[in-house]
Amino acid sequence: MAVLSKSEVPPWGLAIAGSTGAVLANALVYPLDIVKTRLQVQVKKHASDPAHKAEDTTHKHYEGTVHAIMSIMEDEGLYGLYSGLAGSLLGVASTNFAYFYWYSTVRTLYLTRISNGKNPNTAVELSLGAVAGALAQIFTIPIAVITTRQQTQPKGEKKSMIATAKEVIESEDGIAGLWRGIKASMVLVVNPAITYGAYQRLREVLYPGDRPLRPHEAFLLGALSKSLATIATQPLIVAKVGLQSRPPPARGGKPFKSFTEVMRFIVEKEGVLGLYKGIAPQILKGLLVQGFLMMTKERVELMFILLFRYVRKVRKEKLEQLAAIAARKIDEAKSAALKS
């Protein structure tokens, strides 16, 4: 049997494979996304802070992942765990399609025009991932802003994607509000860069060769690589969520202007460990999402490889048939000419 290679799949095929895997994986673990977002935007209570008294009437303080799930179920029902799902999956699909498209494109250009087929080292792999991530973020960050707003809207104030987008645009930032957190997002391109850089490196070490991975192998590599990336970038993730959500009551409605301002506020109120709040569901979500994503992506890529091979085989057979017909016609014409 011929070796199956990803080089047979064009960038758009790899992009479809990646976005398909991402949508399925995120749909499966979406409640964890809600929980980690709620945990990351809440501010630790202090008895001396009067702002929290106003917050108590609309926001329940969550003590951890399990308490957050139970509280959301109690206050908002099962629907509360899926608030903003449509926008989130749209964002996931568009972001991952853009990321995998640009990642496969820039990596292929590097291999064909710079390294002459030699695999890039770790630094180059991270750089290629960062370039792809930056290009993807520019076009998809408005959906992330809207989804974060939807996920943090209290009960009774839930709005559709369109209404939430209108609320953002009508704020003091105007339409630029849809790109809130763009600087943090640009910095956070190191997250997918670390994830897929680590994925490539771990794959070369644990499963060398270009053969398709088995489902459990892809899951393991995806989970390990995403865990490393999450631990390294959690403070920036928390800061980005703080930028894109409504400002906490302690700010008196004043939005944050930069992710460094968010980080200073969190450290002042909760200490350095506050920058790692929500890391448990963040890592758990990352483990499951990246594991399912890469497992599904590998299967879809395999389907594309087989599909393209089948199309090429059919095309070759058709061309051979046409060539045979043409040759027969020529022979018949020669015979007729000789008889005449």
Side-chain angles (χ1 to χ4, degrees):
M1 182 178 176
V3 176
L4 300 176
S5 173
K6 291 183 183 180
S7 61
E8 301 179 52
V9 184
W12 63 263
L14 296 174
I16 290 175
S19 59
T20 300
V23 168
L24 292 174
N26 278 274
L28 286 172
V29 300
Y30 187 74
L32 285 173
D33 196 33
I34 289 281
V35 169
K36 69 93 180 170
T37 301
R38 298 275 183 100
L39 287 171
Q40 287 169 353
V41 299
Q42 72 178 10
V43 181
K44 188 176 180 180
K45 291 184 177 182
H46 294 283
S48 59
D49 190 348
H52 282 293
K53 294 179 181 179
E55 184 181 21
D56 288 342
T57 59
T58 55
H59 294 80
K60 181 175 288 187
H61 191 85
Y62 307 120
E63 303 299 333
T65 303
V66 176
H67 181 250
I69 292 174
M70 299 302 294
S71 297
I72 294 171
M73 287 279 288
E74 180 184 343
D75 295 339
E76 305 170 40
L78 183 62
Y79 170 78
L81 292 175
Y82 292 88
S83 180
L85 176 63
S88 177
L89 294 185
L90 177 60
V92 164
S94 58
T95 300
N96 280 274
F97 183 92
Y99 179 82
F100 283 109
Y101 179 84
W102 289 114
Y103 180 71
S104 60
T105 299
V106 297
R107 198 171 193 273
T108 299
L109 287 173
Y110 176 84
L111 291 173
T112 55
R113 298 190 181 183
I114 299 177
S115 71
N116 295 319
K118 183 180 179 181
N119 285 331
N121 58 36
T122 302
V124 173
E125 196 77 71
L126 292 176
S127 299
L128 295 176
V131 170
L135 290 169
Q137 284 295 326
I138 291 172
F139 297 103
T140 59
I141 195 171
I143 301 174
V145 172
I146 294 168
T147 300
T148 300
R149 286 291 184 98
Q150 284 188 299
Q151 290 178 339
T152 55
Q153 286 167 346
K155 184 180 179 181
E157 297 182 30
K158 302 292 185 183
K159 297 179 181 178
S160 66
M161 284 188 65
I162 302 298
T164 303
K166 186 178 179 181
E167 177 185 83
V168 174
I169 293 171
E170 290 177 348
S171 68
E172 64 179 67
D173 291 329
I175 196 168
L178 291 174
W179 276 266
R180 279 189 68 82
I182 184 67
K183 291 180 180 178
S185 295
M186 289 294 104
V187 175
L188 270 171
V189 298
V190 299
N191 187 290
I194 293 172
T195 300
Y196 297 107
Y199 184 87
Q200 292 291 341
R201 283 288 162 265
L202 289 170
R203 176 172 182 165
E204 290 169 10
V205 172
L206 298 178
Y207 309 110
D210 201 29
R211 67 171 178 82
L213 295 175
R214 298 183 180 90
H216 72 276
E217 294 172 343
F219 186 97
L220 176 63
L221 290 181
L224 288 174
S225 58
K226 189 62 178 180
S227 296
L228 292 172
T230 299
I231 293 170
T233 59
Q234 180 66 9
L236 291 173
I237 294 171
V238 172
K240 178 187 172 185
V241 171
L243 265 176
Q244 294 178 341
S245 63
R246 292 178 176 181
R251 293 272 300 178
K254 181 182 177 183
F256 294 105
K257 296 298 182 183
S258 67
F259 66 93
T260 53
E261 186 180 4
V262 179
M263 294 172 74
R264 283 199 302 269
F265 176 81
I266 292 172
V267 171
E268 179 186 327
K269 294 289 183 179
E270 306 174 59
V272 175
L273 290 180
L275 295 174
Y276 288 87
K277 59 187 177 182
I279 193 169
Q282 182 85 46
I283 288 181
L284 180 57
K285 180 207 167 191
L287 280 169
L288 296 174
V289 166
Q290 203 65 29
F292 284 125
L293 189 160
M294 300 312 296
M295 185 171 66
T296 305
K297 178 176 176 288
E298 292 286 338
R299 296 299 95 186
V300 176
E301 285 176 353
L302 176 59
M303 290 170 57
F304 271 116
I305 291 172
L306 296 175
L307 174 63
F308 289 134
R309 284 192 176 182
Y310 175 75
V311 170
R312 283 196 295 269
K313 180 183 177 182
V314 171
R315 186 182 300 165
K316 181 180 178 182
E317 291 175 350
K318 290 289 185 183
L319 289 173
E320 289 174 348
Q321 290 175 3
L322 291 172
I325 292 172
R328 189 168 63 250
K329 293 290 185 183
I330 292 172
D331 289 339
E332 291 174 354
K334 286 181 178 178
S335 297
L338 290 173
K339 289 178 180 179
S340 62

